Amino acid sequence: DMCTFQTGSVRATITDPDLNINPAAKEVHAGLVSVTAQFWSHISNSLVTSQKVFIPIAETGLNTGVFTGDMSTLTSAQSGVLQVFDNADIKKASTVVTMVYESAKSEY
């Protein structure tokens, strides 16, 4: 729901009561939220789509059904980190970040 390159992260917020399996515990789920970035590379002079990265999400409190997760962003490709643009010309950077909630239980 939010992307702040100044702090180097993207944040996902998911509200899904079906993920709240144990009301007495703050739950963590992996593999449900994927994120990719697409940007123009001034190095290769082409459109680049980053590798899909999964963001683990954690429940914000007991029995809330609201989950958040953060993913670090960088200007170069690195395993487990979302590349948002290249270093060549950051002042001209324009990036589209796409998050997908991949829950089979989702009604949306």
Side-chain angles (χ1 to χ4, degrees), residues 28-48:
V28 176
H29 297 279
L32 295 179
V33 179
S34 67
V35 60
T36 57
Q38 199 170 48
F39 58 91
W40 183 262
S41 171
H42 295 277
I43 294 171
S44 65
N45 213 21
S46 64
L47 190 64
V48 174

Side-chain angles (χ1 to χ4, degrees), residues 48-83:
V48 174
T49 300
S50 70
Q51 294 286 332
K52 181 189 287 189
V53 180
F54 285 91
I55 301 175
I57 54 174
E59 195 167 15
T60 58
L62 297 178
N63 202 27
T64 64
V66 178
F67 299 80
T68 61
D70 295 310
M71 172 60 58
S72 296
T73 58
L74 288 177
T75 58
S76 59
Q78 237 182 62
S79 180
V81 178
L82 183 66
Q83 181 181 5

